[in-house]
Coordinates of all heavy atoms in Angstrom, one line a residue:
M1128 N 1.7 15.9 -1.8 CA 0.5 15.0 -1.8 C 0.2 14.5 -0.4 O -1.0 14.4 -0.1 CB 0.8 13.9 -2.8 CG -0.3 12.9 -3.0 SD 0.2 11.5 -4.0 CE 0.3 12.2 -5.6
I1129 N 1.2 14.1 0.3 CA 1.0 13.6 1.7 C 0.3 14.6 2.5 O -0.7 14.4 3.2 CB 2.3 13.1 2.3 CG1 2.9 11.9 1.5 CG2 2.1 12.8 3.8 CD1 4.3 11.6 1.9
R1130 N 0.8 15.9 2.5 CA 0.2 17.0 3.3 C -1.3 17.2 2.9 O -2.1 17.4 3.8 CB 1.0 18.3 3.1 CG 2.4 18.2 3.7 CD 3.0 19.6 3.7 NE 4.4 19.5 4.0 CZ 5.4 19.5 3.0 NH1 5.1 19.7 1.8 NH2 6.7 19.4 3.4
A1131 N -1.6 17.2 1.6 CA -2.9 17.4 1.1 C -3.9 16.3 1.6 O -5.0 16.6 2.1 CB -2.9 17.5 -0.4
A1132 N -3.4 15.1 1.6 CA -4.2 13.9 2.1 C -4.4 14.0 3.6 O -5.5 13.8 4.1 CB -3.6 12.6 1.7
R1133 N -3.4 14.4 4.3 CA -3.4 14.5 5.8 C -4.5 15.5 6.2 O -5.2 15.3 7.2 CB -2.0 14.9 6.3 CG -1.9 15.1 7.8 CD -1.9 13.7 8.5 NE -3.1 13.0 8.6 CZ -3.3 11.7 8.8 NH1 -2.2 11.0 9.0 NH2 -4.4 11.1 8.9
D1134 N -4.7 16.5 5.4 CA -5.6 17.6 5.7 C -7.1 17.1 5.7 O -7.9 17.8 6.2 CB -5.4 18.8 4.8 CG -4.2 19.6 5.2 OD1 -3.7 19.4 6.3 OD2 -3.8 20.5 4.3
V1135 N -7.4 16.0 4.9 CA -8.8 15.7 4.7 C -9.2 14.3 5.3 O -10.3 13.9 5.2 CB -9.1 15.6 3.2 CG1 -8.9 17.0 2.6 CG2 -8.3 14.6 2.4
T1136 N -8.2 13.6 6.0 CA -8.6 12.4 6.6 C -8.0 12.2 8.0 O -6.8 12.7 8.2 CB -8.2 11.2 5.7 OG1 -8.8 10.0 6.3 CG2 -6.7 11.0 5.5
H1137 N -8.7 11.6 8.9 CA -8.2 11.3 10.2 C -7.7 9.9 10.4 O -7.1 9.6 11.4 CB -9.3 11.5 11.2 CG -10.5 10.6 11.0 ND1 -11.5 10.9 10.1 CD2 -10.8 9.4 11.6 CE1 -12.4 9.9 10.2 NE2 -11.9 9.0 11.0
V1138 N -7.9 9.1 9.4 CA -7.5 7.7 9.5 C -6.0 7.6 9.2 O -5.4 8.5 8.6 CB -8.2 6.7 8.5 CG1 -9.8 6.8 8.8 CG2 -7.9 7.0 7.1
P1139 N -5.3 6.5 9.6 CA -3.9 6.3 9.3 C -3.6 6.5 7.9 O -4.3 6.0 7.0 CB -3.6 4.9 9.9 CG -4.6 4.7 10.9 CD -5.8 5.4 10.5
L1140 N -2.5 7.2 7.6 CA -2.1 7.4 6.2 C -0.7 6.8 5.9 O 0.3 7.0 6.6 CB -1.9 9.0 6.0 CG -1.5 9.5 4.7 CD1 -2.5 9.1 3.6 CD2 -1.3 11.0 4.7
V1141 N -0.7 5.9 5.0 CA 0.5 5.1 4.6 C 1.0 5.8 3.3 O 0.3 5.8 2.3 CB 0.2 3.6 4.3 CG1 1.5 2.9 4.0 CG2 -0.5 3.0 5.5
A1142 N 2.2 6.3 3.3 CA 2.8 6.9 2.2 C 3.6 5.9 1.4 O 4.4 5.1 1.9 CB 3.7 8.1 2.6
S1143 N 3.5 6.0 0.0 CA 4.2 5.1 -0.8 C 4.7 5.8 -2.1 O 4.0 6.7 -2.6 CB 3.3 3.9 -1.2 OG 3.8 3.1 -2.2
G1144 N 5.8 5.3 -2.6 CA 6.3 5.8 -3.9 C 7.4 6.8 -3.7 O 7.2 7.9 -3.3
G1145 N 8.6 6.4 -4.1 CA 9.7 7.4 -4.2 C 10.8 7.2 -3.1 O 11.8 8.0 -3.2
A1146 N 10.7 6.3 -2.2 CA 11.7 6.1 -1.2 C 13.0 5.8 -1.8 O 13.2 4.9 -2.6 CB 11.3 5.0 -0.2
G1147 N 14.1 6.5 -1.3 CA 15.4 6.2 -1.8 C 16.5 6.3 -0.8 O 17.5 5.6 -0.8
T1148 N 16.3 7.1 0.3 CA 17.2 7.3 1.3 C 16.5 7.3 2.7 O 15.3 7.5 2.7 CB 18.0 8.6 1.2 OG1 17.1 9.7 1.5 CG2 18.6 8.8 -0.1
P1149 N 17.2 7.0 3.8 CA 16.6 7.1 5.1 C 15.9 8.5 5.4 O 14.8 8.5 6.0 CB 17.7 6.8 6.1 CG 18.7 6.0 5.3 CD 18.6 6.5 3.9
A1150 N 16.5 9.5 4.9 CA 16.0 10.9 5.1 C 14.6 11.0 4.4 O 13.7 11.7 5.0 CB 16.9 11.9 4.5
H1151 N 14.4 10.4 3.3 CA 13.1 10.5 2.6 C 12.0 10.0 3.5 O 10.9 10.5 3.6 CB 13.1 9.6 1.3 CG 13.9 10.2 0.3 ND1 14.5 9.4 -0.7 CD2 14.3 11.5 0.0 CE1 15.2 10.2 -1.6 NE2 15.1 11.4 -1.2
F1152 N 12.2 8.9 4.3 CA 11.2 8.3 5.2 C 10.9 9.3 6.3 O 9.7 9.5 6.6 CB 11.7 7.0 5.8 CG 11.8 5.9 4.8 CD1 12.9 5.7 4.0 CD2 10.7 5.0 4.7 CE1 13.0 4.6 3.1 CE2 10.8 3.9 3.8 CZ 11.9 3.7 3.0
C1153 N 11.9 10.0 6.8 CA 11.7 11.0 7.9 C 10.9 12.2 7.4 O 10.0 12.7 8.0 CB 13.0 11.5 8.4 SG 14.1 10.2 9.1
E1154 N 11.2 12.6 6.1 CA 10.4 13.7 5.5 C 9.0 13.4 5.4 O 8.1 14.3 5.6 CB 11.0 14.1 4.2 CG 12.4 14.7 4.2 CD 13.1 14.6 2.9 OE1 12.5 14.2 1.9 OE2 14.3 15.1 2.8
A1155 N 8.7 12.2 5.0 CA 7.3 11.7 4.8 C 6.5 11.8 6.1 O 5.3 12.2 6.2 CB 7.2 10.4 4.2
V1156 N 7.2 11.3 7.2 CA 6.5 11.4 8.5 C 6.3 12.8 8.9 O 5.2 13.2 9.4 CB 7.3 10.6 9.6 CG1 6.6 10.7 10.9 CG2 7.5 9.2 9.2
D1157 N 7.2 13.7 8.7 CA 7.1 15.1 9.0 C 5.9 15.7 8.2 O 5.3 16.6 8.7 CB 8.4 15.9 8.7 CG 9.5 15.5 9.7 OD1 9.2 15.1 10.8 OD2 10.7 15.7 9.3
A1158 N 5.7 15.2 7.0 CA 4.6 15.7 6.2 C 3.2 15.2 6.6 O 2.2 15.7 6.1 CB 4.9 15.4 4.7
G1159 N 3.2 14.2 7.5 CA 1.9 13.7 7.9 C 1.6 12.2 7.8 O 0.6 11.7 8.1
A1160 N 2.6 11.4 7.3 CA 2.4 10.0 7.1 C 2.5 9.3 8.5 O 3.4 9.6 9.3 CB 3.4 9.4 6.1
D1161 N 1.7 8.3 8.7 CA 1.7 7.4 9.9 C 2.5 6.2 9.6 O 3.0 5.5 10.6 CB 0.3 7.0 10.3 CG -0.6 8.2 10.6 OD1 -0.4 8.9 11.6 OD2 -1.5 8.6 9.8
A1162 N 2.7 5.8 8.4 CA 3.4 4.6 8.0 C 4.0 4.8 6.7 O 3.6 5.7 5.9 CB 2.4 3.4 8.0
L1163 N 5.1 4.1 6.4 CA 5.9 4.3 5.2 C 6.1 2.9 4.5 O 6.5 2.0 5.1 CB 7.3 4.8 5.6 CG 7.1 6.1 6.5 CD1 8.3 6.2 7.4 CD2 6.9 7.3 5.6
L1164 N 5.7 2.9 3.2 CA 5.8 1.7 2.4 C 6.8 1.9 1.3 O 6.9 2.9 0.7 CB 4.4 1.5 1.8 CG 4.2 0.2 1.0 CD1 2.9 -0.5 1.5 CD2 4.1 0.5 -0.5
A1165 N 7.6 0.8 1.1 CA 8.6 0.9 0.1 C 8.8 -0.5 -0.5 O 8.6 -1.5 0.2 CB 9.9 1.5 0.6
A1166 N 9.4 -0.6 -1.7 CA 9.6 -1.9 -2.3 C 11.0 -2.0 -2.8 O 11.8 -2.7 -2.2 CB 8.6 -2.0 -3.5
S1167 N 11.4 -1.3 -3.9 CA 12.6 -1.6 -4.6 C 13.8 -1.4 -3.6 O 14.8 -2.1 -3.7 CB 12.8 -0.8 -5.8 OG 12.7 0.6 -5.6

Side-chain angles (χ1 to χ4, degrees):
M1128 183 189 286
I1129 294 168
R1130 290 188 196 103
R1133 179 76 287 161
D1134 284 345
V1135 299
T1136 187
H1137 61 275
V1138 302
L1140 178 62
V1141 184
S1143 170
T1148 69
H1151 290 155
F1152 290 85
C1153 300
E1154 291 163 2
V1156 177
D1157 291 335
D1161 300 288
L1163 306 153
L1164 184 132
S1167 58

